Amino acid sequence: DYMGYSLIDPDDAYRMAEKIVERQHLDGYIKQWYNTNGAPDNGLCLVKHSDPYIWLIICLIEIVHKTGDASLFKKPIGYIDSPVKEPLIVHLKKAAYYMLTQIGEHGLCLMLDGDWNDPVNGPGHLGKGESTWNSMALCYAIERLNEVEFDANLDNARKKMLDAINEHCWDGDRYVAGLDDNGNKYGCEADNEAKKFLNAQTWGIICGAATGDRLEKCVATVETMKNDFGYVLIDPPFSEYNSTWGRVSLKQCGTTENGSVYIHAVMFKAMSDCVRGDGNAALNTILSVLPTSETHGPEKSLQAPIYYSNYYFGKRDENYGRSSFVYKSGSVAWHFWVLLEHIFGMNTSAINGVTLKPNIPDSWNNATLTRTFAGQEYTVEISDGKAQIK
């Protein structure tokens, strides 16, 4: 949320995000959920998700870049369990190094109680299951971190993990969702349900694991997950309990993470389109899930055209395509980030200033984007397939 807010008010976004950094432990550990009223841990606060380190790195880097103030990477910040204060960049490196202590026998990140897909809590029930997405996202996070301050040990760990992903997670035409506590693949062709997991394909592209023939196959697999109004997260959805995947399989078939068009994940897909230089695919992906979509507007989705719902029902029944009506979603943050910095391609960096690397859709004969960065106004003008910045 703060990453998205930084595209509007970067200074205030940083002020709030810094409070999250202060919750980190001296060894790099950080909780996904915590009570803000000082009460003892309970409920979700007792659950150990495996992805807060990833988001701490990715989002804080983006937020600092939006402020235009590179000195913030050197700003001393405290820890929740120590009087020690260390620069933000050290906090972010510690998050990466902590994750590298949470590695399974195949060289992949442990799943624990769930990664970005919180209800996938079955594979790590015994503490041995490994997450493909987590591993891919950590590789991407380290790459972004090394753009700020290069760390050879982290870079070597990233390369080693990319090799592990390609060795253990590839399944002919897709990346599997992970390896369970017994080392068996899940989210693969041999499964009866949940054969394909969208995040494993999109982040395989984003992190650079998928290249050459595998990149082409990932893209093709993603297209098989497309329906009339976006891309489903899991295909096919669960119709009964699956002990390997856990709680996600108990959710209503075609809803939430169990086979809906989960819009936050669709924005990851748009991001992956930009990473491989396909602005047409990125734009079409975003347009397909807009509440004002020409082919799936409010008369079909029943979604008020003033906010993103978190998902559309994916099962082909009487609810097919209907909005969840739930506004809590990370979709908006990624929507603006992808649109401004990856399709328009106006990248704002506290280190490199403003650079332009657009992925211009063919339909954009003329388009203009104006943004303020570090107190100065910049305009990107697109005309006849070419972009320039003023």
Side-chain angles (χ1 to χ4, degrees):
D1 292 337
Y2 296 158
M3 184 187 77
Y5 182 35
S6 72
L7 293 162
I8 301 168
D9 189 336
D11 294 331
D12 197 36
Y14 175 81
R15 179 185 61 81
M16 293 192 293
E18 188 179 272
K19 295 178 181 179
I20 304 298
V21 182
E22 293 171 347
R23 305 294 304 192
Q24 189 178 22
H25 292 238
L26 185 62
D27 65 356
Y29 172 73
I30 187 168
K31 294 172 64 67
Q32 178 84 357
W33 299 91
Y34 57 87
N35 286 322
T36 58
N37 61 2
D41 286 349
N42 62 346
L44 283 172
C45 299
L46 298 174
V47 176
K48 291 186 177 180
H49 289 112
S50 56
D51 63 328
Y53 318 92
I54 291 167
W55 299 123
L56 188 75
I57 297 168
I58 294 174
C59 295
L60 263 295
I61 287 174
E62 283 302 318
I63 291 168
V64 171
H65 279 322
K66 300 301 166 283
T67 68
D69 184 1
S71 70
L72 292 175
F73 285 119
K74 302 296 184 181
K75 181 180 179 181
I77 302 174
Y79 294 91
I80 193 171
D81 63 340
S82 171
V84 171
K85 288 189 175 184
E86 293 183 301
L88 172 62
I89 191 67
V90 174
H91 280 261
L92 302 185
K93 285 188 177 184
K94 281 190 172 183
Y97 275 111
Y98 188 89
M99 279 203 74
L100 292 173
T101 69
Q102 308 295 301
I103 302 296
E105 63 180 275
H106 299 89
L108 304 168
C109 294
L110 294 176
M111 171 64 78
L112 303 180
D113 292 324
D115 55 20
W116 174 85
N117 201 342
D118 300 348
V120 181
N121 63 348
H125 180 67
L126 301 179
K128 296 181 179 179
E130 297 164 79
S131 163
T132 301
W133 176 85
N134 227 355
S135 305
M136 290 172 167
L138 177 59
C139 289
Y140 174 74
I142 290 175
E143 182 180 18
R144 296 305 311 275
L145 189 55
N146 275 344
E147 291 171 358
V148 176
E149 184 175 285
F150 187 77
D151 185 311
N153 291 328
L154 286 178
D155 194 50
N156 288 334
R158 179 186 68 87
K159 292 174 181 176
K160 184 177 180 181
M161 188 165 287
L162 286 174
D163 289 341
I165 291 168
N166 277 312
E167 179 180 356
H168 299 292
C169 302
W170 185 249
D171 190 43
D173 64 347
R174 75 201 69 173
Y175 287 103
V176 299
L179 306 175
D180 66 16
D181 285 316
N182 298 313
N184 299 317
K185 295 178 179 179
Y186 59 95
C188 59
E189 180 58 34
D191 293 336
N192 292 324
E193 296 178 333
K195 295 173 179 284
K196 290 171 282 190
F197 183 43
L198 183 63
N199 283 1
Q201 319 319 316
T202 57
W203 280 84
I205 297 169
I206 291 170
C207 79
T211 59
D213 182 58
R214 289 191 178 186
L215 173 59
E216 294 179 4
K217 289 181 177 179
C218 274
V219 173
T221 294
V222 168
E223 289 307 307
T224 68
M225 304 177 74
K226 183 179 181 180
N227 67 13
D228 301 322
F229 42 86
Y231 294 80
V232 294
L233 179 59
I234 289 177
D235 187 38
F238 293 103
S239 60
E240 59 184 11
Y241 177 64
N242 183 296
S243 60
T244 296
W245 285 74
R247 184 166 62 91
V248 66
S249 64
L250 292 173
K251 296 199 169 191
Q252 182 180 345
C253 184
T255 68
T256 62
E257 295 91 342
N258 185 17
S260 76
V261 172
Y262 205 84
I263 299 176
H264 194 173
V266 174
M267 293 303 159
F268 296 159
K269 192 272 180 185
M271 174 79 157
S272 73
D273 292 331
C274 291
V275 168
R276 61 187 183 83
D278 192 339
N280 291 326
L283 178 63
N284 290 335
T285 297
I286 290 176
L287 292 177
S288 70
V289 294
L290 280 178
T292 53
S293 167
E294 292 183 359
T295 58
H296 190 69
E299 69 281 358
K300 292 184 178 180
S301 68
L302 308 183
Q303 168 64 38
I306 55 174
Y307 65 90
Y308 271 122
S309 66
N310 65 335
Y311 70 86
Y312 296 121
F313 284 69
K315 184 180 179 182
R316 293 181 181 273
D317 59 15
E318 67 275 11
N319 291 317
Y320 180 61
R322 200 193 79 187
S323 168
S324 67
F325 308 131
V326 177
Y327 67 86
K328 294 181 179 179
S329 170
S331 307
V332 174
W334 279 71
H335 168 105
F336 279 108
W337 190 34
V338 171
L339 182 63
L340 301 183
E341 301 218 337
H342 298 280
I343 296 180
F344 266 103
M346 181 182 172
N347 186 269
T348 53
S349 167
I351 297 172
N352 300 316
V354 177
T355 56
L356 187 61
K357 188 180 178 181
N359 292 285
I360 305 172
D362 291 339
S363 60
W364 283 12
N365 295 321
N366 294 283
T368 302
L369 166 67
T370 300
R371 293 178 66 187
T372 299
F373 173 68
Q376 185 172 343
E377 189 173 275
Y378 295 85
T379 298
V380 177
E381 292 183 351
I382 295 174
S383 179
D384 298 326
K386 296 182 181 180
Q388 61 178 340
I389 193 165
K390 298 180 178 180

